[in-house]
Every structure is written in structure tokens, then in C-alpha cells.
Amino acid sequence: MTTPLLRALAAGRGLTIGAAVDAAALRDDARYRALLAREFNGVTPENALKFAPLRPRRDRFDFAEAEAIVAFAAAHGMRVRGHALAWHRALPDWLTAGGFGREELTAILREHIATVVGHFRGRVTAWDVVNEGLPVAHDPARAASVWLRGIGPAYLDLAFRWAHAADPGARLFYNDDGAEGGGAKAAAIDALVRGLLARGVPLHGVGLQGHVGLATAPDPGALAATLRGFAALGLATELTEVDVRLQGGNGTPEERLTAQAGVYRDLGLAACAAPRRAGLTVWGVTDRHSWIPGHTGRPDAPLLFDAGYAPKPAYAALREALRG
Ligand code: G3I
């Protein structure tokens, strides 16, 4: 019997195993398309559903790249996570340099969310409505968010309410990083989502991005406790942008790949054990398509498949975690 693929094992557990999809690779690379369709039952457009790609001008929406990804997902029985409606990054110059006041920014964000979520109603089943909405010391751009500075903290409530109005069937997530192992960030997200829920905001889940490294992988017990904490609020939990950097790790390349496999195993087990689990998405299909080398300026191999599209020890480890 052939070993079942990731998506078959995930489906058997009621889980989605997704991948962030690069629109150009999907368009141009047959091997990419084949690997994506074979192994994953979910997709997140890596960039095509962000504000700037969708809105080159205030009076124009460009859905072409997102439509291609959504169509591919539909053709291959894959769930689509929309990412991200309100974020401080990937914003077009006409917006950030527009000098808009509170009322106009509110109207712009409302129009954006209503149009985009409405356009994909029933086809994008989950949305990262707000991404990285909490100020953090290491990224001052978050506190300088045009939405937070221009509209005020109320933009979070409004964004969720507008998304729900545009597609009542979509599951709406708050998505953020740095909280996988608990601690101050997890506590800050907990306080934020409790406030949203207390005000009757339609919030259905928390996305923990899962951008980790060999040196920063969360303690499995702490991750399990973090997921349980949000589930206790009635929220679904997902690992939404998983990659495991090798840089910063010790040992030979083989030893680091083995250590990376251990982290993927732990993350997979956590996703399977999460009380209100929904899924785990890796942030790219192969190492060739990862954002990390460009971000850090150093080579890395953070994903499940190598630059030659071959499965790595991390793939086998995640598959074993899903087999239980
Ligand atoms: O498509 C344009 C291309 O036309 C242009 O020639 C080129 C050079 O300017 O830029 C291309 O757009 C780039 C895009 O990726 C597609 O490659 C943007 O400049 C670049 O900023 C963008 O980076 C993405 C980044 O988010 C910012 O949006 C990364 O691919 C993506 O992996 C990264 O993902 C984020 C999540 O959305 C949120 N969580 C953190 C995560 C990592 O930063």
C-alpha cells in the first residue's frame, strides 16, 4: 500500500494541511502545481489577497491572481484561507501617502472588506481579518499602522463586523506571531480577543503564525497550553504560517534537518491535539519559494520540500504526526 499523502492523513483527522501559494509559481510551474495539489488540502494566497495587490488604485480592484489561486483550490478540493484584510503592511502608496482622515479611512477599509469578502463569498471559507494588530517593540511599523493611527483601535471591531456582514458563513480569525509558546504576546492576544468577544464582535478563531526556528521553536507543552487557552474561549485555533528556520541552529546540515523534522512533528501533533483544531498551513510549498532567505539575506531551508521539490525529513515527520 502506498503511504498516504499529507492531505489524506489530514482529512482523516478533520484537519486542513495548507500551503501559502505564490501566484507566479502557480501560473508558471507545473511541478509546483502538481506537488501542491497532491499533498495539500488547503491554500492561503501568500500575497494575492493583500491590500496592495488587490487595490493598485483606489478605484480599481484586481482579482486576477487571487481568482487563479481560488480556482485551483476549487478544482482540487482545497480550502482557502483569505489573508489579510486589515494589516499594516502591503499597502499601496495611494493609501499610505493619501493623507486621509478618520472618516475617509473608515470608508476605504469598509469598502475594501465589503468588496473583497463579498467577491469571494462562499469560496474563501476563512479570513485573517486583522493580522499583527498588536504593537510590538521589534516592529514599530505595527503601532504606526494606518488603520490604528488613522481610525483608532475601533478598526478591529469594525473590520470583523464588516467581514461578517459580507459573508456570514466565513470563519473570521485574528492572526498574529510570537505567541506560540505562550508568554506576554499570548496574554496580549488573549486580552484582545476577550475584548472583541465581550463586545459581541463576530470572531471565530485565532491564527498563530508559527514562524519559528531551531533556536526558537515553542515548547510543545507551552504550545498545547496556548491552543487550549484560546479554545476555552470558544475559538478555533490554527497554525497559519509555519516555517522552521535552520539558520541559528547547531550541528551539521543533516543534524539540523533532523532537528527541523522534530519541530514539524511537534507542531503537527499540537495541531492534531488542539481542542478546536482547524489546521496547519506551511508558509510556502518548497524551500525555493520561502520568503525567509530574502528577508534574512541568508540561505535557509525552512519548509517541507527542498528546492528540488523532494520531501525532506520534516515532511516525513509531519506525516507521522498526522498518522498518530
Ligand atoms: O509582486 C511584486 C513584483 O511585481 C515586484 O517586481 C517585486 C519587487 O518590488 O515585488 C513583488 O511583490 C513582493 C511580494 O512579496 C511578492 O513577491 C513584495 O515586494 C514583497 O514585500 C512581498 O513580501 C511578502 C511579505 O509578506 C509582505 O507582504 C512575502 O512574500 C510574504 O511571505 C510575507 O508574508 C508575511 C505574512 O503575509 C504575514 N506574516 C508574516 C509573513 C512574513 O513576513
Side-chain angles (χ1 to χ4, degrees):
M1 183 187 94
T2 56
T3 306
L5 303 168
L6 278 184
R7 69 175 291 170
L9 291 165
R13 287 177 162 270
L15 273 177
T16 297
I17 292 293
V21 173
D22 174 277
L26 188 76
R27 183 189 62 234
D28 301 334
D29 184 339
R31 284 196 303 171
Y32 182 96
R33 291 193 296 271
L35 177 55
L36 178 63
R38 189 182 77 228
E39 294 287 350
F40 298 96
N41 60 350
V43 298
T44 302
E46 185 172 5
N47 293 295
L49 281 175
K50 292 173 181 173
F51 201 108
L54 285 175
R55 304 287 295 284
R57 297 202 318 262
R58 182 173 179 181
D59 62 351
R60 180 160 165 253
F61 286 83
D62 184 353
F63 290 115
E65 285 194 346
E67 281 289 358
I69 296 170
V70 170
F72 183 90
H76 296 281
M78 305 165 95
R79 198 185 69 141
V80 183
R81 294 195 87 258
H83 173 85
L85 295 171
W87 189 30
H88 65 283
R89 292 178 61 192
L91 298 174
D93 292 343
W94 67 259
L95 174 64
T96 53
F100 299 111
R102 186 176 189 283
E103 273 192 34
E104 201 151 19
L105 279 173
T106 302
I108 288 168
L109 185 57
R110 177 173 194 160
E111 177 194 36
H112 183 76
I113 292 175
T115 305
V116 173
V117 176
H119 181 90
F120 290 104
R121 182 175 176 139
R123 297 189 288 157
V124 173
T125 53
W127 281 99
D128 290 336
V129 176
V130 174
N131 185 50
E132 300 169 9
L134 284 166
V136 290
H138 70 271
D139 185 6
R142 302 188 193 188
S145 158
V146 68
W147 309 124
L148 182 61
R149 294 276 292 270
I151 299 174
Y155 90 89
L156 289 105
D157 296 43
L158 292 169
F160 280 96
R161 292 187 191 282
W162 294 331
H164 186 64
D167 186 353
R171 314 300 289 157
L172 306 182
F173 281 72
Y174 174 78
N175 192 56
D176 213 332
D177 62 0
E180 297 81 11
K185 185 64 178 288
I189 295 172
D190 182 85
L192 183 149
V193 298
R194 284 174 185 268
L196 293 170
L197 293 170
R199 296 189 294 274
V201 170
L203 168 72
H204 308 114
V206 170
L208 300 178
Q209 292 181 4
H211 293 297
V212 299
L214 294 185
T216 62
D219 167 77
L223 174 56
T226 301
L227 296 173
R228 280 198 306 273
F230 292 123
L233 301 176
L235 297 172
T237 53
E238 287 204 44
L239 295 172
T240 54
E241 304 181 17
V242 172
D243 40 37
V244 182
R245 301 179 195 194
L246 296 181
Q247 56 189 283
N250 299 316
T252 65
E254 290 71 23
E255 287 168 339
R256 285 191 287 163
L257 285 172
T258 300
Q260 181 185 61
V263 176
Y264 270 103
R265 182 198 61 240
D266 292 344
L267 296 176
L269 289 171
C272 291
R276 293 174 177 270
R277 66 181 183 281
L280 182 154
T281 295
V282 291
W283 205 242
V285 177
T286 82
D287 288 336
R288 176 182 306 185
H289 304 97
S290 172
W291 66 288
I292 285 179
H295 175 71
T296 63
R298 294 167 55 194
D300 212 308
L303 295 169
L304 298 174
F305 296 89
D306 67 20
Y309 299 55
K312 297 157 60 182
Y315 170 82
L318 180 57
R319 194 176 57 193
E320 289 319 302
L322 293 175
R323 283 165 83 100

